Amino acid sequence: MEFASNSIESNGRVVPGISGKNCFGRAKLDMVEDKLGRLKGLTQAGQQVWFYTDHHSDIPLLELCSHPVAVNPTTRLKDWASNYLWARIVRWNSRTVTTLKGTQVKSVDDH
C-alpha cells in the first residue's frame, strides 16, 4: 500500500502543485491511519507494520511501527533511528544496499 501526495497533471504532463492533502508529517500519519486503522492498536495486537522513509518528518509514524526503517536518512532521522531500539538504518544506491543498524546483513551488492 502506498501513501503519497498526488501530483497535478495537465495535458498529460505533471505540473507543479499537489492535488488534495500534502502527505507530509502528521498528515501522512493521518492518511495511513484512515486506511489501516490506529497503528498503535495494530502493533499491540501483534501485526507487523513496516514503514520506510528518508525524512525526519515521518518520525511520528515510525514511532508507531513494529519495523521502522530509515533509508538514506536526513541527519535528524539518522540521529533518531540510531537511538531508537528497533529502528533500522539503510543506505542504498543503484548498486549496493548497506545496513548500518538493525540486521546482521552488512552489504548486498546487486551486480
Side-chain angles (χ1 to χ4, degrees), residues 14-15 23 32 42 49 54 70 72 74 77 90 94 98 108-109:
V14 175
V15 297
C23 188
V32 169
L42 291 173
V49 180
D54 63 351
N72 297 342
T74 61
L77 177 58
V90 177
S94 62
T98 305
V108 178
D109 196 339

Side-chain angles (χ1 to χ4, degrees), residues 1-18:
M1 193 173 292
E2 295 179 20
F3 301 93
S5 299
N6 295 313
S7 301
I8 297 173
E9 291 187 33
S10 177
N11 298 323
R13 293 179 182 236
V14 175
V15 297
I18 296 172

Side-chain angles (χ1 to χ4, degrees), residues 1-101:
M1 193 173 292
E2 295 179 20
F3 301 93
S5 299
N6 295 313
S7 301
I8 297 173
E9 291 187 33
S10 177
N11 298 323
R13 293 179 182 236
V14 175
V15 297
I18 296 172
S19 174
K21 290 183 181 177
N22 186 4
C23 188
F24 181 82
R26 179 65 199 193
K28 187 179 289 185
L29 176 56
D30 292 342
M31 286 180 180
V32 169
E33 289 190 329
D34 283 348
K35 296 277 187 190
L36 300 178
R38 301 306 249 166
L39 292 181
K40 187 174 184 176
L42 291 173
T43 56
Q44 287 176 340
Q47 296 294 316
Q48 301 299 304
V49 180
W50 290 76
F51 184 71
Y52 298 79
T53 188
D54 63 351
H55 200 264
H56 56 268
S57 67
D58 292 323
I59 290 173
L61 203 155
L62 288 167
E63 290 176 327
L64 297 175
C65 294
S66 47
H67 301 281
V69 183
V71 181
N72 297 342
T74 61
T75 300
R76 189 167 155 196
L77 177 58
K78 183 178 178 187
D79 291 345
W80 174 86
S82 295
N83 293 305
Y84 201 75
L85 186 60
W86 57 88
R88 295 180 183 182
I89 302 172
V90 177
R91 289 247 178 237
W92 93 46
N93 60 38
S94 62
R95 302 183 69 87
T96 307
V97 175
T98 305
T99 301
L100 305 177
K101 177 184 176 260

